[in-house]
């Protein structure tokens, strides 16, 4: 249908006004608008924490998560992904036959449909995640040395990558909280991380780099310690964050020595210094030199960084 000059001007003005309105929205309002039919779930979280003045920090934490939710997604359930994960598990620390690797070499999970968090996340998941994050954080003597922004970035996130959405925090805390209590009750966050990393070593980790898959997921990794360095970092993040130990995941895309990418975890010390480690290779220790040559290092943040906006 052809538009007259007058109608074209009207449509153009409408589009400009719509864009200006969208740009004027706060990140929180933009997320609520993008949620569409799922807006009610996000609003439940905000209403839940706005009822009690004492929970003002929890309300701010809820706002932090919600305003970043549009950037996160998982991949639709897929039988091939599930089968390849089980192949990794069944082979344990053995090498996969070449015919198996060749059979599935064509598969690229990036082509799978995406499920946006903003469309499916529930109030129950977010509220449980926030409540348990605060509960454990408030128990730790070292928490007073960190900012609220540190807490939001290194403790609070409900996911680590593109794994499926799961309520994992309470499950991990129930399993590893008693372990940390039995191993260490001091005030040194790095020592706490060191004791837990040593315990995780006893649970083993089998390196499998044959297939490229989405992040395995918290509940899968809880029972299956298999994958490559990124998956080891995921386990570390789930365990440490569930215990109130602030950790980040760092990586480089290309090693000067190995011509491949590599991931590792880092405890955020009370002095803001990062203490790097991979628990299945070694324990965190202040002042220890990195054992690999590194190119440009990137850190995975939950919050969108200014340069990315």
């Amino acid at each position: 249908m052809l538009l007259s000059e007058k109608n074209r001007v009207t449509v153009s003005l409408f589009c400009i006004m719509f864009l200006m309105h969208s740009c004027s929205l706060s990140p929180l309002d933009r997320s609520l608008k993008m949620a569409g039919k799922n807006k009610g779930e996000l609003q439940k979280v905000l209403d839940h924490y706005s009822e009690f003045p004492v929970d003002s920090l929890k309300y701010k934490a809820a706002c932090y998560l919600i305003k970043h939710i549009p950037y996160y997604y998982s991949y639709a359930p897929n039988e091939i992904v599930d089968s390849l994960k089980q192949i990794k598990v069944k082979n344990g620390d053995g090498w996969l036959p070449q015919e198996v690797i060749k059979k599935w070499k064509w598969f690229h999970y990036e082509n799978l449909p995406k499920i946006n968090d903003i469309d499916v996340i529930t109030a129950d998941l977010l509220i449980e995640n926030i409540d348990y994050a605060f509960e454990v954080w408030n128990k730790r003597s070292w928490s007073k040395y960190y900012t609220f922004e540190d807490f939001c970035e290194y403790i609070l996130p409900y996911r680590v990558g593109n794994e499926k959405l799961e309520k994992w925090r309470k499950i991990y805390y129930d399993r590893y909280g008693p372990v940390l209590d039995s191993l260490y009750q001091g005030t040194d966050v790095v020592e706490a991380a060191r004791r837990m990393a040593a315990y995780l070593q006893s649970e083993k980790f089998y390196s499998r780099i044959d297939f490229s898959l989405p992040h395995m997921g918290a509940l899968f990794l809880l029972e299956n310690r298999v994958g490559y360095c990124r998956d080891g970092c995921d386990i570390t993040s789930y365990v440490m964050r569930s215990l109130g130990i602030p950790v980040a995941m760092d990586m480089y895309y290309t090693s000067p020595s190995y011509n491949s990418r590599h991931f590792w975890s880092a405890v955020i010390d009370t002095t803001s210094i990062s203490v790097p480690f991979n628990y299945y290779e070694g324990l965190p220790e202040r002042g220890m030199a990195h054992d690999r040559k590194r190119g440009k290092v990137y850190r995975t943040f939950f919050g969108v960084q200014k340069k990315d906006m």
Side-chain angles (χ1 to χ4, degrees), residues 265-282:
S265 300
V267 183
I268 311 302
D269 200 354
T270 52
T271 59
S272 298
I273 299 296
S274 297
V275 182
F277 72 104
N278 273 334
Y279 80 84
Y280 51 88
E281 295 178 338

Side-chain angles (χ1 to χ4, degrees), residues 222-279:
L222 184 65
E223 304 301 336
N224 303 285
R225 300 306 167 85
V226 63
Y228 70 109
C229 53
R230 186 197 69 186
D231 302 302
C233 292
D234 287 356
I235 296 169
T236 301
S237 293
Y238 293 130
V239 172
M240 300 297 181
R241 290 177 178 179
S242 74
L243 299 174
I245 300 173
V247 292
M249 182 168 69
D250 296 342
M251 61 91 67
Y252 51 65
Y253 285 101
T254 303
S255 163
S257 300
Y258 304 99
N259 195 31
S260 62
R261 63 178 183 170
H262 180 58
F263 297 80
W264 63 93
S265 300
V267 183
I268 311 302
D269 200 354
T270 52
T271 59
S272 298
I273 299 296
S274 297
V275 182
F277 72 104
N278 273 334
Y279 80 84

Side-chain angles (χ1 to χ4, degrees), residues 86-97 208:
Q86 291 306 316
I87 288 175
K88 287 175 179 282
V89 172
K90 289 179 181 179
N91 280 270
D93 58 350
W95 295 102
L96 293 177
R208 308 270 359 114

Side-chain angles (χ1 to χ4, degrees), residues 1-63:
M1 181 177 67
L2 296 177
L3 296 177
S4 66
E5 183 66 28
K6 181 178 179 181
N7 286 337
R8 282 199 295 270
V9 172
T10 301
V11 171
S12 297
L13 288 173
F14 174 80
C15 291
I16 292 172
M17 292 175 65
F18 177 80
L19 290 173
M20 290 178 64
H21 174 69
S22 297
C23 292
S24 66
L25 292 175
S26 69
L28 180 63
D29 290 334
R30 192 178 301 121
S31 290
L32 293 173
K33 187 177 181 65
M34 291 177 64
K37 294 180 180 179
N38 200 44
K39 177 182 177 180
E41 291 297 308
L42 303 184
Q43 193 62 56
K44 285 180 187 177
V45 180
L46 298 174
D47 293 344
H48 177 77
Y49 293 118
S50 63
E51 293 178 359
F52 308 99
V54 71
D55 284 342
S56 60
L57 278 183
K58 287 187 177 182
Y59 180 83
K60 291 179 180 178
C63 291

Side-chain angles (χ1 to χ4, degrees), residues 86 89 171-172 175-176 203-204 206 217-226 235:
Q86 291 306 316
V89 172
I171 295 172
Y172 268 76
R175 176 159 171 173
Y176 290 105
E203 295 187 336
K204 307 296 185 183
Y206 299 107
L219 301 187
F220 177 85
L221 288 174
L222 184 65
E223 304 301 336
N224 303 285
R225 300 306 167 85
V226 63
I235 296 169

